């Protein structure tokens, strides 16, 4: 290597950010909870401290080592002891993750993306009512936020309304949490599309729970996660009840391969969901995008 | 980019002979660069190793039209850059079509991740086109100027030397003048050359665009440029601009497409589009990639990133199916991304007007024609404010 060449080169970029965002950090499965027939929660602990610092609503890229990697939102709150992800077994990677046992290694990259903004921009407790609406496993990305909200009610936060819809009773996740949230003051309403003989609750779409839930739509905000069609109809119903569209947050999903804005798969029109999402306000642009076919 | 030279560049504009160009190549090699440039392949101009001007496509011209590319050779012609663009852009040198991100090895009861060696031989490109240099600047915004930086892309961008050659012979499919990315160029290079071949001889006007470009230029024999040289360059670039019959409405296209997502033209173009992805594989700015893991029998894991295309059904796959199921939605995704949502995502256009997508489309779909067709039936809805765009 000639010295000339060194002179001509711009300063070495070695000091810049390395590829760390691309290399998983190894975690061990410390607890495995079967939530439903196809949903498993994994509690993860890093092989070496520190534990991950994140905000509720963000996601990690989880690697089933040698199989592949998928985007999964955290289903725990940062103040909880264990980092948790709840995974539905729908593909090769999610299957491998769901099959993992206590002691197995899982790769974690993250946290990535936007969050539910549980606290106000100033870091204060939000005094408005919060309406949390989940469809099926959509409760998972909301679980940590609900934990924070329930904690905040003791600090003067607004009331919490948790509305959960599921295909059938066996598909309702986090039943113990739902009981615990109820015991700590949250109002919890459940409905199923398809009742079984042991079900004595509501039957119908989650939107049917809105009208008599008891929140003041003009002084509340909402956090929605579930199938796009469910979020669209729920958001519209909330707006019809008088809620400010800017206060309605939705968590969106697209194919994700990198989590860092390079792979191009998670585009939703002008949004790169790994960077601009997954949690976005329903107002304006997003409400339009969700009504356009195949966006 | 403006064809006129800023006045303060006057002193630094020099003239190289073809021999001088040879010395520039030799100099770059001596400095440790691997020198590449356009070369004559079997039936196309392709990137290749360049040891001297004899390796450059002397006397070769290209004839391009929708769905067609031919090269013709003229023995009497001394010009080295009398062609527009070949099928391959320089993107692959910085963002390879397949790249190992890391390897993981099982060691005891854990896994050790190793990233591939980042050392590499610096690349010098002699003969990149202005549109390609602008395309690299666009890729920079995606891969190194966002929240996360692709360090290996940066490594290669930082270490490489770019000698751009301004365009005198645009193809019928070129529209860089309307996309503000040619035929001349004022920044983003180490050295900019303009090939002149007139009664005053075969020569190159040369300008430096960086300290190392200036160093290299000062180490090869040159003479100061005179009025005649500068006038010849101005005329050449004006003629090249005027020769381009295709164009896009640079300032308006972003909003035009943003408000026409339901335009009937998307379905009409989908009747011709084969969803083959040729346009994305020749595009100098397309950056979509797939990430996949493989294991060998010993249990070692490899994660690899490979180019992918938004025309693949799998590109938008979510459990249960693909979001972009129809060809119409995939074409719309590609074109609105290039020309409209790229502005929202990266604050620039995603198109430089190189025309490759027109030429290499097997059915000759022409992006400029598609934009014109949408504009002809523009569904402007009065009262709906435009989103941000290119203005």
């Amino acid at each position: 290597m000639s010295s000339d060449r060194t002179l001509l080169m711009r300063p070495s970029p070695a000091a810049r950010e390395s590829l760390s965002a691309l290399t998983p950090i190894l975690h061990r499965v410390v607890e495995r909870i079967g939530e439903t027939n196809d949903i498993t929660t994994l509690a993860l602990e890093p092989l070496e401290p520190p534990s991950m610092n994140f905000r509720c609503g963000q996601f990690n890229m989880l690697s089933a080592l040698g199989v592949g990697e998928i985007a999964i939102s955290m289903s725990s709150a940062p103040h909880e002891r264990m980092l948790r992800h709840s995974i539905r077994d729908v593909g090769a990677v999610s299957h491998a993750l769901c099959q993992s046992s206590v002691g197995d290694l899982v790769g974690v990259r993250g946290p990535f993306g936007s969050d539910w903004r549980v606290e106000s921009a100033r870091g204060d407790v939000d005094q408005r009512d919060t309406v949390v609406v989940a469809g099926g496993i959509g409760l998972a990305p909301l679980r940590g936020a609900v934990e924070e909200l329930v904690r905040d009610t003791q600090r003067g936060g607004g009331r919490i309304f948790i509305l959960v819809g599921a295909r059938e009773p066996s598909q309702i996740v986090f039943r113990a949490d739902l009981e615990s949230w109820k015991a700590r003051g949250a109002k919890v309403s459940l409905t199923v599309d398809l009742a079984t003989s042991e079900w004595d609750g509501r039957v119908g779409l989650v939107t049917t729970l809105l009208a008599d839930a008891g929140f003041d739509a003009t002084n509340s905000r909402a956090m929605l996660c579930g199938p796009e069609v469910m979020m669209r109809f729920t958001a519209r119903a909330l707006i019809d009840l008088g809620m400010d569209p800017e206060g309605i947050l939705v968590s969106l999903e697209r194919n994700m391969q990198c989590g860092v804005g390079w792979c191009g798969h998670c585009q939703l029109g002008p949004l790169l969901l790994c960077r601009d999402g997954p949690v976005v306000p329903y107002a304006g642009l997003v409400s339009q995008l969700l009504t356009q076919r195949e966006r | 980019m403006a064809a006129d030279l800023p006045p303060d560049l006057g002193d630094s504009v020099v003239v190289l002979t073809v021999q001088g160009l040879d010395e520039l190549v030799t100099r770059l090699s001596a400095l440790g660069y691997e020198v590449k440039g356009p070369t004559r392949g079997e039936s196309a101009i392709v990137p290749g190793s360049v040891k001297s001007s004899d390796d450059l496509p002397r006397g070769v011209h290209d004839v391009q039209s929708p769905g067609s590319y031919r090269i013709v050779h003229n023995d009497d012609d001394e010009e080295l850059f009398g062609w527009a663009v070949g099928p391959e852009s320089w993107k692959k040198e910085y963002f390879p079509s397949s790249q190992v991100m890391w390897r993981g090895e099982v060691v005891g009861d854990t896994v050790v991740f190793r990233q591939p060696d980042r050392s590499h031989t610096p690349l010098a490109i002699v003969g990149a086109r202005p549109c390609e240099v602008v395309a690299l600047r666009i890729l920079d915004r995606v891969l190194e100027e966002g929240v996360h930086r692709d360090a290996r892309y940066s490594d290669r961008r930082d270490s490489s030397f770019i000698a751009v050659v301004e365009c005198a012979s645009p193809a019928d499919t070129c529209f860089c003048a309307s996309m503000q990315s040619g035929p001349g160029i004022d920044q983003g290079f180490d050295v900019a050359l303009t090939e002149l071949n007139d009664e005053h001889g075969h020569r190159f006007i040369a300008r430096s665009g960086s300290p190392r470009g200036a160093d290299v230029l000062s180490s090869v024999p040159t003479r100061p440029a005179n009025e005649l040289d500068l006038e010849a360059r101005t005329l050449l670039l004006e003629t090249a601009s005027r020769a381009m019959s295709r164009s896009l409405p640079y300032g308006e296209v972003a909003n035009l497409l943003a408000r026409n997502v339901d335009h009937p033209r998307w379905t009409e173009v989908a009747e011709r589009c084969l969803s083959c992805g040729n346009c994305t594989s020749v595009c100098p700015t397309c950056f979509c990639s797939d990430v996949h893991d493989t294991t060998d029998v010993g249990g070692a894991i490899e994660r690899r990133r490979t180019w992918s295309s938004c025309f693949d059904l799998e590109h938008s796959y979510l459990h249960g199916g693909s979001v972009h199921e129809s060809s119409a939605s995939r074409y719309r995704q590609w074109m609105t991304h290039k020309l409209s949502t790229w502005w929202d995502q990266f604050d620039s256009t995603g198109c430089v007007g190189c025309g490759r997508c027109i030429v290499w489309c097997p059915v000759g779909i022409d992006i400029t024609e598609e934009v014109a067709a949408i504009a002809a039936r523009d569904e402007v809805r009065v009262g709906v404010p435009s989103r941000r765009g290119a203005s």
Side-chain angles (χ1 to χ4, degrees), chain A residues 5 23 63 265 293-294, chain B residues 31 115 303 315 325-326 332:
Chain A
R5 187 185 115 191
T23 308
S63 285
H265 286 266
R293 282 179 59 83
E294 298 186 75
Chain B
L31 290 170
Q115 284 161 10
R303 176 162 296 170
H315 188 271
E325 207 166 47
S326 66
R332 180 181 69 183

Side-chain angles (χ1 to χ4, degrees), chain A residues 2 4-5 8-11 13-14 16-24 26 28 47 63-69 88 90 105 109 112 253-255 257-258 260-265 267 269-272 275 285 292-295, chain B residues 27 30-32 101-102 109-111 113 115 122 142-143 147-152 154-155 158 212 215 261 287-291 293 295 301 303 305 308 314-315 317-319 323-326 329 332-333 337 341 344-346 387:
Chain A
S2 77
D4 258 302
R5 187 185 115 191
L8 287 179
M9 304 245 297
R10 271 155 57 193
R16 293 173 175 170
E17 187 178 337
S18 74
L19 293 181
S20 60
L22 290 190
T23 308
L26 286 174
R28 203 172 289 287
L47 294 197
S63 285
L65 296 169
V67 183
E69 195 178 48
R88 190 155 147 236
V90 288
L105 293 178
R109 293 192 297 125
F112 300 124
E253 188 182 15
R254 285 294 180 271
N255 186 309
Q257 310 244 334
C258 76
V260 294
W262 299 342
C263 80
H265 286 266
Q267 292 179 64
L271 305 174
L272 283 175
R275 181 190 78 181
L285 172 68
Q292 290 162 359
R293 282 179 59 83
E294 298 186 75
R295 280 310 286 268
Chain B
R27 178 69 184 154
L31 290 170
M101 307 311 278
W102 49 256
D109 64 347
T110 184
V111 177
F113 297 106
Q115 284 161 10
V142 178
L143 294 175
V147 180
H148 301 277
R149 178 187 293 272
D150 179 346
R152 266 176 301 167
S154 283
D155 287 352
D158 285 336
R212 61 181 165 183
D215 281 354
V261 287
F287 63 84
C288 281
S289 60
D290 287 340
V291 176
D293 293 1
T295 44
I301 309 159
R303 176 162 296 170
R305 173 173 81 178
S308 71
E314 293 73 27
H315 188 271
Y317 184 82
L318 279 178
H319 53 88
V323 176
H324 301 147
E325 207 166 47
S326 66
S329 75
R332 180 181 69 183
Q333 165 61 31
H337 189 217
T341 53
D344 301 286
Q345 294 168 5
F346 305 109
R387 290 208 325 279

